[in-house]
Amino acid sequence: MPDTHLPREELRATLEARRDLGPEYEDALVDSFLEKLDREITARVRAEVATASSHPGQKPAKPDNSHIPVALGSLGIAIPLTAIAAGNAGVVGLFLAWGGIVLINVAYALGRRRH
């Protein structure tokens, strides 16, 4: 992998040269810096492409969507649970039911974060 400090060092050197040479060389210094930066970017892209092509059978990692069933299950249970809790215990039952649903989802999310 190419040196990641090269653009920063090159920019510092270009700015120092600009101070030494004066504004009349500014265009040439900028062009020179941009050419070096372009070469650096090209080298990095080629390195990434080479790395990716050296593992042709390797597929990109799929996103972890294991949280979707828990979220959908929570919503599916929440509808009848809300009706039952609100009908039997009023607002207190409603808050208890939704508090339980929220706690289950938070516990699941925290458990996933630890793994």
Side-chain angles (χ1 to χ4, degrees), residues 31-115:
D31 290 341
S32 173
F33 173 74
L34 291 176
E35 286 175 18
K36 290 175 185 176
L37 187 60
D38 186 45
R39 284 194 300 267
E40 177 69 16
I41 291 170
T42 301
R44 289 182 187 188
V45 169
R46 285 185 179 152
E48 287 292 323
V49 169
T51 301
S53 65
S54 67
H55 307 328
Q58 186 179 13
K59 295 180 181 176
K62 291 183 180 179
D64 179 21
N65 292 329
S66 63
H67 63 282
I68 292 176
V70 173
L72 292 176
S74 294
L75 289 174
I77 290 173
I79 294 169
L81 192 60
T82 299
I84 294 168
N88 290 332
V91 175
V92 174
L94 183 67
F95 281 119
L96 285 174
W98 275 95
I101 293 168
V102 168
L103 284 176
I104 289 170
N105 282 282
V106 167
Y108 180 75
L110 292 175
R112 282 188 56 193
R113 185 175 288 177
R114 289 186 186 148
H115 295 271

Side-chain angles (χ1 to χ4, degrees), residues 17-34:
R18 198 288 188 181
R19 276 188 229 115
D20 292 342
L21 297 174
E24 56 272 358
Y25 290 96
E26 190 170 294
D27 289 340
L29 291 169
V30 168
D31 290 341
S32 173
F33 173 74
L34 291 176

